[in-house]
Amino acid sequence: MAPRTRKPERRAEALTRERIVEAAVELLDTSGEGGLTFRALTGRLATGPGAIYWHVASKSELLDAATDAVVAAALATGPAGSAGSPHKEIGAVALGLFDAIDEHPWLATQLATQLSRNPWGPVTPRIFESIGRGVRALGVPEGGWFTAASALVHYILGAAGQNAANGRGAGSGVDRGEFLDSVSRAWEALDPGDYPFARAVADQMRGHDDRAEFLAGIDLILAGITAVHPPAP
């Protein structure tokens, strides 16, 4: 009697587009865009390149999908209207993006690319929809929706991207308090004739909370929007 041939073990986790994107995000987080290669991806997923190409045609498509997946998770703050006031809804969306950009070092660059080169893709309308629902709930007339939402989106992405860059630029081993104190002292030492404002606010830089400052900026923009477009009685 011939010995029975053992059947190969079935993968514990079937390869799907979602699993590929998840692995891509992990590679981007640890190695950056340069580290995201199909060779590295096949090694992480323990599969062949053909299986990946069946789901994703190119690195560009993979970057788009990874960006969209992270943004979708960041914006999962609940359906519109469930968070309370429009101000709170917009604030929740803004903080979700702020934290995602801080957590994923590659995301700010990819979001800038999406807005400029691929505005018809899923990422840009997803962000505008999340912010725009709050703008509409503020009572802004339809003719002002795009301008108001654009002001918020560009502030959110710009401020969040700069905050993340500041954190990486200072270095992982640098104490934040000590770093801010050194900057504050440098500003205080500036020529008072040339830099009166920078000297005046130097002390406010010490110990400030990045997320609180970010939300304060959102409040300023919302105050301007509601001043130009006051809610109907």
Side-chain angles (χ1 to χ4, degrees):
M1 182 176 179
R4 297 178 62 184
T5 304
R6 184 180 179 183
K7 294 183 180 180
E9 293 183 8
R10 187 176 181 180
R11 291 180 184 273
E13 184 178 6
L15 187 64
T16 62
R17 180 181 173 88
E18 289 72 22
R19 178 67 191 104
I20 293 170
V21 171
E22 179 184 337
V25 171
E26 293 169 358
L27 279 172
L28 286 164
D29 287 346
T30 57
S31 306
E33 185 178 340
L36 178 61
T37 65
F38 276 75
R39 181 176 182 179
L41 202 55
T42 57
R44 180 173 288 265
L45 293 169
T47 189
I52 295 177
Y53 280 116
W54 178 263
H55 296 280
V56 183
S58 65
K59 180 176 177 176
S60 176
E61 181 183 340
L62 190 57
L63 280 168
D64 290 350
T67 303
D68 186 46
V70 171
V71 168
L75 298 179
T77 57
S82 66
S85 71
H87 286 71
K88 290 182 179 179
E89 291 182 19
I90 292 172
V93 169
L95 270 184
L97 289 169
F98 182 89
D99 290 339
I101 290 172
D102 188 50
E103 180 181 353
H104 303 281
W106 52 275
L107 185 58
T109 300
Q110 288 304 314
L111 286 174
T113 299
Q114 290 289 329
L115 263 67
S116 61
R117 298 183 185 176
N118 190 26
W120 46 80
V123 174
T124 300
R126 190 189 295 279
I127 294 173
F128 267 84
E129 182 66 26
S130 297
I131 293 295
R133 290 180 181 180
V135 167
R136 184 171 59 183
L138 285 171
V140 176
E142 187 171 352
W145 287 357
F146 179 74
T147 300
S150 293
L152 284 162
V153 168
H154 289 295
Y155 167 77
I156 291 167
L157 299 186
Q162 186 61 57
N163 174 76
N166 290 346
R168 291 191 294 274
S172 58
V174 176
D175 180 85
R176 180 179 180 276
E178 293 178 358
F179 176 78
L180 290 177
D181 184 64
S182 66
V183 176
S184 297
R185 284 187 278 106
W187 282 28
E188 288 169 343
L190 293 170
D191 185 284
D194 293 334
Y195 301 98
F197 177 82
R199 284 170 53 91
V201 300
D203 189 56
Q204 298 176 29
M205 184 182 300
R206 289 187 175 92
H208 76 270
D209 184 279
D210 293 326
R211 295 171 95 245
E213 291 291 330
F214 173 73
L215 284 178
I218 294 290
D219 289 340
L220 286 172
I221 296 174
L222 291 177
I225 291 173
T226 53
V228 174
H229 304 293

